[in-house]
Amino acid sequence: QVQLVESGGGLVQPGGSLTLSCGASRSISSIYVMGWYRQDPGKERELVAHSFVDDRTNYADSVKGRFTISRDNAKNTLYLQMNNLKPEDTAVYYCSAQRFRTFNYVYWGQGTQVTVSS
């Protein structure tokens, strides 16, 4: 079982930065993959970034070079550092966790709103 709670969203101007946090109810060091997804009203939920247990990461093309996903295992927290934000980054951002490679059950947080606007 994993409970996830996102925080750090808010209103930011284009070109600004935000760091999102996802606190987990248990150790995250052995979780197979954690991720950040986002969803704007009327749009499909889309992958932003993945963090794998072996330290591999992958990013959506739209955020490569601007966003960084990382784990702080000591704090049981997943982060998403977002730089050079654009209006199209506006969405509700969700944290996710799949504990095991071969068992495709995904836990989700409740989401945090990010709004990029001048």
Side-chain angles (χ1 to χ4, degrees), residues 3-110:
Q3 292 178 304
L4 304 170
V5 180
E6 301 95 334
S7 62
L11 175 65
V12 63
Q13 293 183 328
S17 298
L18 280 176
T19 299
L20 305 183
S21 299
C22 172
S25 62
R26 57 161 289 143
S27 173
I28 67 170
S29 62
S30 62
I31 292 177
Y32 171 61
V33 62
M34 301 189 72
W36 288 98
Y37 290 74
R38 66 188 183 187
Q39 187 170 25
D40 221 4
K43 302 292 185 181
E44 297 289 325
R45 184 172 297 188
E46 65 175 354
L47 170 69
V48 177
H50 274 146
S51 168
F52 293 88
V53 70
D54 62 1
D55 295 326
R56 291 181 298 114
T57 60
N58 62 261
Y59 297 89
D61 288 341
S62 60
V63 308
K64 285 181 180 177
R66 299 189 297 121
F67 291 10
T68 302
I69 189 170
S70 63
R71 302 187 192 199
D72 187 332
N73 292 329
K75 295 182 178 180
N76 293 344
T77 301
L78 180 76
Y79 297 100
L80 184 68
Q81 175 65 50
M82 305 185 294
N83 298 320
N84 191 24
L85 284 160
K86 303 175 180 180
E88 53 262 43
D89 295 319
T90 295
V92 177
Y93 283 70
Y94 297 91
C95 177
S96 68
Q98 180 178 325
R99 292 186 64 190
F100 308 104
R101 178 180 178 181
T102 58
F103 186 56
N104 297 325
Y105 185 86
V106 180
Y107 297 88
W108 295 93
Q110 293 181 335

